[in-house]
Amino acid sequence: MTAVQSTQIQLVSRPTGWPTHENFRTVTVELPELEPGQVRVVNEFVSVDPYMRGRMNDVKSYVPPFALNETMTGGAVGRVVESTSDEHPVGSLVSHQLGWRDVAQADAAQFRVMEALDGVPSSAYLGILGMTALTAYVGLQDIAHLRDGDVVFVSGAAGAVGSAVGQIARILGASRVIGSAGSAEKVELLTSKYGFDAAFDYKQGSVREQLAEAAPDGIDVYFDNVGGDHLEAALAEFRDGGRAALCGAISQYNTEGPTPGPNNMANIVTRGLSLVGFTVGNYLDRFPSFAQEMGTWLREGRVQFDETVVDGIENTVDAFLGMLRGENTGKMVVRVGTGS
Amino acid sequence: MTAVQSTQIQLVSRPTGWPTHENFRTVTVELPELEPGQVRVVNEFVSVDPYMRGRMNDVKSYVPPFALNETMTGGAVGRVVESTSDEHPVGSLVSHQLGWRDVAQADAAQFRVMEALDGVPSSAYLGILGMTALTAYVGLQDIAHLRDGDVVFVSGAAGAVGSAVGQIARILGASRVIGSAGSAEKVELLTSKYGFDAAFDYKQGSVREQLAEAAPDGIDVYFDNVGGDHLEAALAEFRDGGRAALCGAISQYNTEGPTPGPNNMANIVTRGLSLVGFTVGNYLDRFPSFAQEMGTWLREGRVQFDETVVDGIENTVDAFLGMLRGENTGKMVVRVGTGS
């Protein structure tokens, strides 16, 4: 039997500002034979996500930073090709967190067997059926305590998380859903495909003015993927008792040095607002109820999703950088080998 | 019978930056005879509070701004001198919100009869037994969800709210209570009288560095009376899951134009923090349980309090300005006439 090789992408230095190819290296390693209880998986798709930029910094966080000179971890889906675990038969579709590699091999407990849904590509388990949409689900319900009739604003709304937020908010009773995105095409998609009531291009004017126009009666919930002037605009437009779920601040991930916060923090007191940050990894106990509800919504055609697919594990860094620049619509994934 | 006069202080223009005497005027009005169901009260003490500065601005808020050319409203305590209400007999001690005047007259429903506690001055119903300490009680429990063993940081800790926060936090199970104040005397008071474990003078160095030193293992709860660099320091020192109750931002009430927010808002996401603003007026349903618990704590000698008393209704504006400058220790009140 020929040795099996795995191509993997490692972080070798911590980016200052925008990451570059110099921060990564590609290595090819020979995998040892499986040990008892281990599984070998050929990946179909690996995930590139905004939060990964944050974990490249060496800062105190819920989740420790990525280790240098080790393979980038993160979401991936693939097929079991060799197994010593009864619960992971060859051919099973599995998801895991072993990240940027074409072949993954580890203890069986690292792999979760997924029930493939008809007509849904395996990449969906990284997006609309995975951590991405779980983030939207948890942020709206557990963090922002979405209530019937709420006006909801989502930034980065054409992204994987944002587009799920808008649609889930509507299903769960929001009276009006407003989104911001970074191009005319994305803005069009928000209203035509994802059912947003209003959308605007944050590059074409003041976020604050455009939000005020889109939400003449104010907002109740803000789902923040962007930070910066978007958060400031939301603080300006909140009604009394407004709630912000802070998921990420992609506008600031690559700035060097501290960035001033919103200039209207006083509204938090006078309007009784709440700003709550979260990391989906602390809410994995919500996955089962999420997976059941989202499966139903997908089958009923109530949720739409997009993917931007980049081919080849060797292009993972480019996919990651493109996602940070907003070149994706919906979930950005890397197709590995024969992923389908 | 001679007509009864009431001396009252009115807001006549909205301050820009620091208020001045020009923003107010003193008027003396003759009170009409009582109508059925009305009560006349000679005040003993009237309250000057930080939140009043915010309400002098014409901004959207839970609570509408103070009306121009009307008497300033706010907490006050006095004795009923004339009454057509069976529930408010002459001689009763009452608290009310009719504000900066020496004699108050209105429908009986505006006055709450207080049960006088032995050895407690009536001014206490504006502070440790009133809205002030209710603010501390609600902020710690309903807003910051104080838990057993939490490390708590309070800014403006020698103020009326802050000194109550520190002591209530300790009673409710905080493992360590840290306060900041604006003079060496106040810092000394925090540790010697109010039982704080550590305290520092924010005028004597970086808040961030002094907090880091006082809380080497980080903080879980921050009660914010100050805003600005204090909030930034708290965001820097929060442990995962930290909770801030935002009560006011006295450092910013008198600045002109918008002030940049904390430069480390990203920590809200990475550490799963929550920042929640509140106005005590929305939590008046908590008054009965507060009054009962605080009454017990006072009788047991577990809570200490200070007052800074300014004499004479005509000096109310000076008392208010002095409080904004931090000249008070504990609750700042104005003694009216024979208040005792």
Side-chain angles (χ1 to χ4, degrees), chain B residues 24-284:
Chain B
F24 303 91
R25 73 168 166 222
T26 303
V27 299
T28 300
V29 299
E30 292 207 351
L31 298 176
E33 291 196 10
L34 283 195
E35 291 174 25
Q38 285 197 324
V39 169
R40 181 176 295 159
V41 169
V42 171
N43 281 335
E44 296 187 349
F45 293 95
V46 304
S47 190
V48 293
D49 297 281
Y51 79 83
M52 292 174 168
R53 175 62 191 88
R55 286 192 59 200
M56 289 174 186
N57 297 332
D58 189 16
V59 294
K60 199 160 78 170
S61 172
Y62 257 129
V63 185
F66 288 121
L68 291 183
N69 303 310
E70 297 199 2
T71 300
M72 284 280 299
T73 57
V77 289
R79 294 278 172 185
V80 176
V81 294
E82 200 178 333
S83 175
T84 62
S85 159
D86 291 344
E87 288 154 20
H88 298 74
V90 169
S92 307
L93 182 67
V94 294
S95 76
H96 61 90
Q97 288 290 319
L98 295 171
W100 294 4
R101 62 187 86 204
D102 57 358
V103 182
Q105 177 170 318
D107 288 343
Q110 301 259 11
F111 302 95
R112 179 201 289 257
V113 177
M114 312 302 290
E115 186 192 351
L117 287 188
D118 279 352
V120 175
S122 63
S123 52
Y125 293 96
L126 301 179
I128 199 69
L129 284 166
M131 289 303 118
T132 299
L134 177 64
T135 303
Y137 183 87
V138 163
L140 284 170
Q141 294 189 91
D142 300 71
I143 309 297
H145 303 292
L146 181 72
R147 296 172 196 154
D148 216 44
D150 277 349
V151 175
V152 175
F153 172 48
V154 192
S155 57
V161 172
S163 56
V165 168
Q167 296 177 88
I168 296 173
R170 166 57 45 79
I171 290 171
L172 296 177
S175 66
R176 184 172 171 80
V177 179
I178 300 155
S180 72
S183 74
E185 293 70 26
K186 291 180 180 177
V187 165
E188 160 65 16
L189 200 63
L190 293 182
T191 52
S192 66
K193 181 168 184 179
Y194 296 135
F196 283 67
D197 298 285
F200 59 86
D201 181 349
Y202 68 86
K203 293 178 177 166
Q204 295 302 315
S206 148
V207 175
R208 199 151 160 176
E209 286 169 18
Q210 293 188 89
L211 177 59
E213 196 172 319
D217 299 322
I219 63 172
D220 302 296
V221 165
Y222 172 49
F223 194 108
D224 188 21
N225 295 302
V226 170
D229 54 358
H230 275 83
L231 180 55
E232 191 169 283
L235 288 174
E237 297 307 321
F238 265 129
R239 300 202 271 219
D240 289 352
R243 290 143 274 138
L246 308 191
C247 173
I250 201 167
S251 74
Q252 286 165 32
Y253 285 155
N254 298 306
T255 56
E256 298 182 41
T259 314
N263 68 13
N264 48 5
M265 296 284 287
N267 292 353
I268 299 175
V269 179
T270 53
R271 298 187 200 158
L273 308 179
S274 74
L275 272 61
V276 180
F278 74 108
T279 301
V280 72
N282 287 39
Y283 295 86
L284 297 183

Side-chain angles (χ1 to χ4, degrees), chain A residues 16 63 71 109 124 129 133 139 152 169 176 184 193 207 222 237 250 253 258 263 296 308 318 327 338:
Chain A
T16 307
V63 187
T71 300
L129 284 166
V152 175
R176 183 171 171 82
K193 182 168 184 179
V207 175
Y222 172 49
E237 299 307 321
I250 201 169
Y253 285 156
N263 67 13
T296 304
T308 301
D318 283 325
E327 292 169 3
T338 59

Side-chain angles (χ1 to χ4, degrees), chain A residues 190-249:
Chain A
L190 292 183
T191 52
S192 66
K193 182 168 184 179
Y194 297 135
F196 283 69
D197 299 284
F200 60 85
D201 182 347
Y202 68 84
K203 292 178 178 168
Q204 295 302 313
S206 147
V207 175
R208 199 151 157 176
E209 286 168 18
Q210 294 188 88
L211 176 59
E213 196 172 321
D217 299 322
I219 63 172
D220 302 296
V221 165
Y222 172 49
F223 194 107
D224 189 22
N225 295 303
V226 169
D229 54 357
H230 276 82
L231 180 54
E232 192 169 281
L235 288 175
E237 299 307 321
F238 265 129
R239 300 200 273 218
D240 290 350
R243 292 142 275 139
L246 308 190
C247 173

